[in-house]
């Protein structure tokens, strides 16, 4: 693998484009994913002044006098962890409207502002959002020429043989993509970092930004949700397990989603197909974090094939989301399941008219029956469906006919 101390981010291009023509750019993503580094790396050569609201003095100044704080900011400023001072959004709007020019402010936020009412709305038409994730495998390997999603929609696969990941696949899953964790040696030190990270985030940031005052509920919910990663969300089961009502569970899951700790993958459905399951799937935001919370190392995953398959699905989903976030193409992700038991792990929409599907297997062999769900969707949407792939830990990339391919998992980020 590449030396992880010097990994360029694919979001750099998106950030530079936004600075050039948009007054405010918000870089948002989980804590410790590299937002501050990205903002400072892009902003320093352009003369940006840096402020962080993690600094209690800067936060107190902005909270007590947001008008004065924004007025005193230089023409180009980076405001780090801006979610800690929500009142500043209205002042930024006024400042931009008085002196509208590109690149006024770079904001970073560890809360998904798009899920927080009234915050992002204050800067509608004045702000572009750049989503930053933990490192993708594509970034770790620095394969900038690879775009698996473009390859999938073009059906750009040729019959070839590649090496299996085999044992290395579990290593990658438990490593995850957080820069600070990857800088530590695999094993107890890295797992300890993940658990401390989750505990600090839940007990500090979530409680600080919400009205919850119970320290024990959210860590338990996060652990329970991690056990469901890659599966249908069952709020009744979670409510029973945690002895809480379902509405409270939903509210707390939204808080975890705002902090980028989990993703709820919506079901895909339309009026051409019947008897569909309309329940979202839950995916943990990073499989390194999931493995640490489950206390499952790479050896454990290799011995527990069911858990390996479960986390592999989340691993592939997160990799594709991370790649999509740096693309100018609009990609939306869903899952498919019907009441007859047919399912597809990922349905991907590109724009308004194109569909592709991905089924994910930890096995080293693909059978024709693995394409049943993909073929059902293709049959109902021949005008939209482009190609389908079963991603697996095998050696052969090959066609199964009618736009269906078996694709080794390593081709997600390797130019082969």
């Amino acid at each position: 693998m590449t030396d992880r101390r010097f990994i360029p981010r694919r979001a750099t291009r998106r950030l530079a484009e936004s600075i050039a023509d948009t007054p405010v750019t918000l870089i948002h993503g989980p804590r410790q994913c590299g937002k501050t580094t990205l903002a400072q790396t892009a902003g320093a050569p352009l003369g940006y002044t840096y402020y962080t609201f993690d600094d209690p003095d800067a936060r107190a100044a902005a909270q007590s006098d947001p008008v004065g704080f924004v007025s005193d900011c230089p023409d180009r400023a980076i405001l780090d962890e801006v979610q800690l001072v929500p009142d500043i959004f209205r002042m930024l709007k006024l400042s931009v409207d008085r002196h509208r020019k590109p690149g006024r402010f770079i904001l970073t936020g560890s809360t998904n502002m798009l899920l927080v009412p009234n915050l992002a709305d204050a800067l509608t038409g004045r702000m572009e959002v750049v989503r930053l994730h933990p490192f993708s495998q594509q970034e770790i390997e620095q394969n900038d020429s690879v775009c698996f999603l473009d390859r999938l929609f073009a059906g750009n696969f040729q019959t070839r043989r590649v090496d299996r990941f085999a044992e290395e696949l579990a290593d990658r899953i438990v490593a995850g993509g957080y820069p600070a964790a990857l800088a530590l040696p695999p094993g107890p030190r890295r797992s300890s970092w993940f658990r401390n990270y989750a505990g600090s985030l839940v007990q500090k940031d979530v409680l600080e930004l919400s009205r919850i005052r119970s320290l024990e509920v959210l860590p338990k919910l996060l652990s329970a949700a991690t056990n469901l990663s890659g599966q249908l969300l069952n709020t009744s089961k979670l409510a029973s397990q945690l002895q809480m009502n379902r509405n409270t569970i939903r509210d707390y899951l939204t808080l975890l989603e705002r902090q980028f700790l989990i993703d709820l993958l919506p079901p895909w459905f339309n009026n051409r197909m019947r008897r569909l399951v309309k329940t979202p799937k839950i995916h943990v935001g990073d499989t390194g974090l999931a493995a640490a919370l489950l206390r499952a190392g790479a050896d454990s995953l290799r011995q527990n094939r069911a858990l390996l398959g479960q986390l592999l699905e989340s691993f592939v989903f997160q990799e594709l989301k991370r790649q999509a976030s740096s693309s100018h193409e609009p990609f939306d992700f869903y899952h498919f399941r019907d009441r007859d038991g047919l399912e597809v792990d990922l349905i991907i929409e590109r724009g308004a008219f194109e569909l592709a599907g991905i089924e994910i297997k930890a096995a080293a062999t693909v059978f024709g029956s693995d394409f049943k769900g993909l073929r059902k969707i293709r049959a109902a949407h021949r005008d939209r469906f482009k190609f389908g792939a079963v991603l697996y830990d095998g050696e052969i990339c090959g066609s199964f006919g009618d736009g269906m391919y078996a694709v080794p998992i390593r081709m997600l980020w390797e130019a082969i």
Side-chain angles (χ1 to χ4, degrees):
M1 292 187 185
T2 303
D3 184 344
R4 298 185 180 95
R5 292 172 297 174
F6 307 102
I7 300 179
R9 303 309 302 260
R10 289 178 60 83
T12 301
R13 183 187 65 180
R14 289 282 306 276
L15 177 57
E17 291 171 349
S18 179
I19 290 172
D21 61 20
T22 306
V24 181
T25 300
L26 169 66
I27 307 169
H28 77 169
R31 277 192 183 270
Q32 296 290 325
C33 74
K35 300 185 301 298
T36 302
T37 300
L38 176 62
Q40 291 182 317
T41 300
L46 300 175
Y48 279 82
T49 302
Y50 174 77
Y51 305 90
T52 176
F53 294 134
D54 272 336
D55 179 342
D57 293 333
R59 190 194 314 185
Q63 287 173 332
S64 62
D65 184 13
V67 175
F69 184 91
V70 173
S71 297
D72 290 342
C73 280
D75 283 347
R76 293 195 160 193
I78 298 170
L79 305 182
D80 201 8
E81 300 298 349
V82 73
Q83 79 281 351
L84 297 174
V85 189
D87 288 344
I88 208 168
F89 277 80
R90 292 193 300 274
M91 301 307 109
L92 292 172
K93 174 183 179 296
L94 293 174
S95 178
V96 167
D97 287 346
R98 291 192 188 108
H99 183 41
R100 191 180 183 105
K101 71 174 186 178
R104 286 286 310 283
F105 297 100
I106 300 174
L107 315 178
T108 81
S110 297
T111 292
N112 189 339
M113 303 298 184
L114 304 180
L115 296 177
V116 180
N118 302 324
L119 289 191
D121 289 347
L123 289 168
T124 299
R126 304 163 182 85
M127 180 175 75
E128 181 172 343
V129 177
V130 174
R131 173 74 158 92
L132 192 67
H133 299 263
F135 287 133
S136 66
Q137 299 299 307
Q138 185 184 41
E139 287 175 317
I140 291 171
E141 298 299 335
Q142 296 189 24
N143 287 328
D144 290 340
S145 62
V146 177
C147 181
F148 181 83
L149 289 167
D150 288 344
R151 175 186 279 187
L152 174 67
F153 277 87
N156 184 21
F157 301 108
Q158 298 175 349
T159 301
R160 68 191 70 188
R161 181 182 294 272
V162 302
D163 293 333
R164 285 187 62 211
F165 270 131
E167 293 191 355
E168 186 187 341
L169 182 58
D171 294 329
R172 287 179 180 263
I173 290 172
V174 302
Y178 280 91
L182 289 170
L184 297 171
R189 292 296 303 138
R190 187 179 288 172
S191 296
S192 177
W193 184 91
F194 275 119
R195 288 193 290 272
N196 289 333
Y197 169 83
S200 174
L201 196 63
V202 167
Q203 296 187 27
K204 178 177 180 292
D205 286 17
V206 176
L207 292 174
E208 193 169 79
L209 295 169
S210 68
R211 297 179 180 179
I212 296 174
R213 291 295 175 262
S214 176
L215 292 177
E216 73 277 358
V217 171
L218 279 171
K220 289 180 180 178
L221 178 58
L222 178 58
S223 295
T226 300
N227 274 290
L228 294 175
S229 191
Q231 300 179 30
L232 292 178
L233 174 62
N234 188 331
T235 53
S236 296
K237 181 178 179 180
L238 289 174
S240 174
Q241 182 178 342
L242 298 174
Q243 298 183 335
M244 299 166 62
N245 68 63
R246 293 172 61 186
N247 289 335
T248 303
I249 289 289
R250 292 192 188 96
D251 291 342
Y252 285 10
L253 286 172
T254 298
L255 290 175
L256 296 178
E257 193 177 11
R258 282 184 186 176
Q259 300 305 119
F260 305 100
L261 288 168
I262 62 169
D263 284 298
L264 297 182
L265 180 65
W268 183 84
F269 56 88
N270 60 47
N271 57 13
R272 294 191 193 181
M273 305 180 77
R274 299 288 185 268
R275 294 174 49 78
L276 303 184
V277 174
K278 299 182 179 181
T279 304
K281 272 188 174 182
I282 188 167
H283 286 284
V284 74
D286 183 85
T287 55
L289 177 61
L293 291 176
L294 295 172
R295 300 188 180 275
D299 288 339
S300 300
L301 290 191
R302 285 188 277 267
Q303 295 168 16
N304 187 335
R305 301 295 296 181
L307 182 58
L308 174 65
Q310 184 181 334
L311 291 187
L312 177 62
E313 186 174 333
S314 294
F315 177 79
V316 170
F317 168 58
Q318 295 297 349
E319 176 66 21
L320 289 172
K321 275 194 65 180
R322 292 170 190 187
Q323 291 187 23
S325 68
S326 61
S327 173
H328 287 295
E329 294 277 4
F331 292 104
D332 294 302
F333 295 87
Y334 306 89
H335 79 93
F336 167 82
R337 182 174 295 194
D338 67 17
R339 298 188 185 279
D340 298 319
L342 288 180
E343 61 180 316
V344 177
D345 293 325
L346 289 174
I347 298 294
I348 306 163
E349 288 189 341
R350 183 169 70 173
F353 303 108
E354 295 182 304
L355 288 175
I358 293 176
E359 186 66 16
I360 302 160
K361 294 184 62 177
T365 306
V366 172
F367 300 98
S369 58
D370 295 322
F371 293 88
K372 279 185 178 180
L374 290 164
R375 293 189 187 278
K376 180 169 184 175
I377 294 176
R378 181 179 179 86
H381 294 275
R382 289 190 177 275
D383 55 332
R384 299 181 61 201
F385 195 88
K386 297 303 178 182
F387 294 95
V390 173
L391 288 174
Y392 77 120
D393 187 25
E395 298 178 341
I396 302 297
C397 176
S399 173
F400 273 66
D402 203 23
M404 303 290 166
Y405 299 92
V407 181
I409 288 170
R410 68 186 317 137
M411 292 181 70
L412 272 174
W413 57 84
E414 292 190 6
I416 51 178

